[in-house]
Amino acid sequence: RGITDTFMYGPDQVRQRYGFEPAQLIDFKALRGDTSDNIPGVPGVGDKTAAKLVQDFGSVEAILERVEELPEGRLKNNLKEHADRVRLGKRMVTIVRDVPVELDLERSRWTRYDYEKVRTVFDRYEFRQLLSRFPPPDQVPVQPTLAFEPAPRSDGLRIVDDAAEAASLVGGATDVGVFTFTETAGRGARTCGMGVATGRDTFYVARPDAMDAVASELTEGTPISGHDTKETELALRALGGGTRKWGFSTFLASYLLGAGARDPRLEDLAREFLDMTLISTEQLLGTGR
């Protein structure tokens, strides 16, 4: 019922509400479905029917194996017709717990933060209820400031017009950074230019054939870094086709660091974290685009 009307569930609460064990929630959800998570479910099966099936049979597999025990009717027919979809749904809602992740939880523990910075940000966005949940300043140790190495300064903008030269500059690179300049966003956006950085060269291309050459060269599995990687991927697909291997996104990194803005611009992030002033889109393309 929204984020303000919440209830804490434990094993006992699950048993009391649904009448089965917590581990069987995956069977329940596979049968009922969940449009918010794209879980298809079985047509005509809601909370009550799904719960009753799990209570009576125990699991999706048992239900499908013993489906002939059900009375003739719509439920039985739908279960038989959509059996593969139910199996897929259970697989989708089952949390994978055997991923080989090496994680030291104690070393990952992070309890410090700068109260004054938090208060300033929360005041700016009027998160007053959240701020009231924080302990007072005299009980909060100060978080050390994040430190970043200064980025190397560019000697100037190099423009590459030749398609073969652009492709050769990207070819063989072990890591590539790409930023595309488009008139609009989405699949129909026209790409006006492309900034490219490798470990050896940094350059800008604007000719369509040169951009095509770079986009085509980047389909060979080279890890790519970018800002708004979704929009960049759409632009590269429109140019050189294929799909690319993305390794890093400054947009997502900004979100994870809690840098503030919901739609951070690369120019702002460079200024904040690297003390660097980038050439803006307006400087490259002019206004009105």
Side-chain angles (χ1 to χ4, degrees):
R1 297 181 183 178
I3 61 174
T4 59
D5 185 9
T6 58
F7 183 80
M8 185 69 71
Y9 273 83
D12 291 338
Q13 287 75 22
V14 172
R15 297 185 188 103
Q16 181 178 358
R17 175 171 178 176
Y18 296 104
F20 51 72
E21 293 299 309
Q24 295 172 296
L25 279 169
I26 54 177
D27 300 280
F28 170 80
K29 194 167 184 178
L31 291 164
R32 185 200 62 181
D34 188 339
T35 55
S36 65
D37 286 336
N38 292 321
I39 310 301
V42 179
V45 173
D47 285 10
K48 291 183 179 180
T49 303
K52 186 68 166 58
L53 287 169
V54 174
Q55 292 165 12
D56 292 345
F57 293 91
S59 68
V60 160
E61 292 78 11
I63 295 168
L64 297 177
E65 184 178 343
R66 298 165 53 193
V67 70
E68 295 299 337
E69 298 179 17
L70 294 172
E72 296 297 329
R74 182 184 176 190
L75 174 60
K76 181 177 181 179
N77 293 336
N78 282 343
L79 281 168
K80 294 171 70 174
E81 181 179 351
H82 300 284
D84 289 340
R85 194 162 77 172
V86 177
R87 294 188 184 96
L88 175 62
K90 182 170 180 177
R91 180 183 175 189
M92 293 170 67
V93 300
T94 301
I95 298 175
V96 178
R97 296 181 296 173
D98 57 354
V99 177
V101 176
E102 296 182 3
L103 176 64
D104 186 334
L105 290 177
E106 285 304 315
R107 292 188 63 186
S108 302
R109 190 182 301 277
W110 188 252
T111 58
R112 297 183 174 186
Y113 61 93
D114 188 325
Y115 181 87
E116 289 303 316
K117 288 184 178 180
V118 171
R119 182 187 59 76
T120 300
V121 172
F122 279 27
D123 280 346
R124 183 191 311 158
Y125 294 105
E126 300 182 357
F127 294 157
R128 296 188 178 89
Q129 289 188 352
L130 290 176
L131 185 61
S132 66
R133 301 178 188 177
F134 280 71
D138 57 354
Q139 297 180 14
V140 180
V142 176
Q143 171 182 327
T145 303
L146 290 171
F148 293 85
E149 294 182 4
R153 300 288 177 176
S154 173
D155 294 331
L157 179 64
R158 178 184 178 189
I159 298 177
V160 176
D161 291 328
D162 183 72
E165 181 185 3
S168 67
L169 291 174
V170 176
T174 57
D175 193 9
V176 179
V178 179
F179 188 93
T180 53
F181 298 87
T182 57
E183 288 185 337
T184 56
R187 295 183 181 275
R190 187 177 78 86
T191 303
C192 304
M194 181 190 304
V196 184
T198 70
R200 307 180 303 267
D201 302 280
T202 301
F203 59 96
Y204 177 77
V205 291
R207 290 177 59 93
D209 57 341
M211 290 191 290
D212 284 342
V214 172
S216 299
E217 193 71 32
L218 293 177
T219 60
E220 301 301 320
T222 302
I224 307 174
S225 300
H227 184 58
D228 189 338
T229 53
K230 175 184 175 182
E231 292 298 332
T232 306
E233 174 66 24
L234 290 175
L236 292 174
R237 287 187 190 184
L239 290 167
T243 57
R244 273 135 290 273
K245 176 182 177 182
W246 289 96
F248 185 76
S249 164
T250 51
F251 189 102
L252 291 178
S254 169
Y255 176 79
L256 294 174
L257 284 173
R262 291 177 59 87
D263 189 12
R265 300 192 314 162
L266 188 61
E267 299 97 300
D268 297 333
L269 297 179
R271 187 180 304 108
E272 178 179 356
F273 292 108
L274 302 176
D275 191 26
M276 171 183 281
T277 301
L278 299 183
I279 298 174
S280 69
T281 303
E282 290 76 13
Q283 288 174 295
L284 279 172
L285 306 180
T287 58
R289 291 183 180 271

